[in-house]
Amino acid sequence: VSNEEREALTVRTQFGGDEVVKAKAGAGSATLSMAYAGFLFAENVVKAMKGADVVQCAYVESTLTDAPFFASPCKFGPNGVEEVLGFGELSDYEKGWFDKMLPDLKKQIQKGVDFVNN
């Protein structure tokens, strides 16, 4: 993948919801996509509760980063998340975005913790 293609894919991923709204000429949103993602997640949790081996990403308490919570692949089983898996080695490009994202994520987590505790 070229640098230009990678950058274009990054922008498209970040602003995919906007792309859907634009395609619908402002007459809708990407909520169906979010609903479908939620359905797939819930369906896989139920499968895991019934004994199937399921690995899917989840935003969970984690020690993988400096942030107390992080989204990464998790192994699900009958009791929910059984193991938080690593997210693999990052490319230099990914590491750049990761390093940019982490301070804001930690601030957002703290806002949520503060909200819950007050």
Side-chain angles (χ1 to χ4, degrees):
V1 176
S2 72
N3 288 339
E4 293 79 21
E5 290 170 320
R6 184 176 309 133
E7 188 61 37
L9 182 56
T10 298
V11 170
R12 194 160 187 209
T13 301
Q14 289 174 321
F15 300 103
D18 295 350
E19 187 174 323
V20 171
V21 170
K22 185 176 179 181
K24 294 173 106 181
S29 68
T31 54
L32 182 58
S33 300
M34 292 181 280
Y36 185 64
F39 161 75
L40 290 177
F41 183 86
E43 181 181 49
N44 282 330
V45 169
V46 170
K47 286 179 182 178
M49 291 173 69
K50 293 180 176 182
D53 288 331
V54 172
V55 174
Q56 64 181 352
C57 288
Y59 184 71
V60 295
E61 195 167 11
S62 168
T63 59
L64 294 177
T65 70
D66 291 341
F69 298 89
F70 199 75
S72 62
C74 295
K75 181 180 178 199
F76 284 76
N79 298 312
V81 174
E82 293 183 346
E83 183 180 2
V84 178
L85 306 171
F87 49 83
E89 187 144 346
L90 301 177
S91 69
D92 290 342
Y93 180 81
E94 292 166 327
K95 181 83 170 102
W97 279 105
F98 184 90
D99 291 345
K100 241 191 251 188
M101 165 279 304
L102 198 56
D104 187 53
L105 175 62
K106 289 163 61 174
K107 287 179 193 171
Q108 294 300 322
I109 290 169
Q110 190 57 53
K111 280 184 183 179
V113 169
D114 292 344
F115 177 80
V116 168
N117 291 328
N118 293 322

